[in-house]
Amino acid sequence: DSDFTINTTTATTINLPTAVGRAGKIFVIKNTGVGLTTVEPDGSETIDGDANENLVRDESITIQSTGANWIII
């Protein structure tokens, strides 16, 4: 598995794969467009304990799998 950089240019939702079995996997997501980018973990997984993360224009997030959930790094 490779790490991923995702750039969004319109309002969209990024659905993450399960964190289970992917410890250390990193995603960098940036919103360079208009509208909200929502980052959604799989099922009941969380990102730093939250159900999702929202990015407005020019915001970015780097997240990593713990093997069970996602954390912001």
Side-chain angles (χ1 to χ4, degrees):
D1 273 337
S2 297
D3 296 326
F4 291 95
T5 300
I6 300 168
N7 178 51
T8 64
T9 58
T10 60
T12 192
T13 298
I14 303 296
N15 295 299
L16 297 173
T18 182
V20 175
R22 290 186 166 92
K25 178 80 170 172
I26 295 173
F27 282 87
V28 179
I29 302 164
K30 182 167 178 118
N31 179 354
T32 59
V34 296
L36 192 66
T37 295
T38 302
V39 183
E40 293 275 351
D42 186 62
S44 63
E45 294 173 1
T46 61
I47 302 171
D48 268 1
D50 294 326
N52 60 45
E53 290 292 324
N54 293 309
L55 306 176
V56 296
R57 185 179 181 145
D58 295 327
E59 280 191 320
S60 65
I61 189 172
T62 302
I63 55 176
Q64 184 172 20
S65 170
T66 65
N69 286 292
W70 297 94
I71 57 171
I72 299 171
I73 58 172

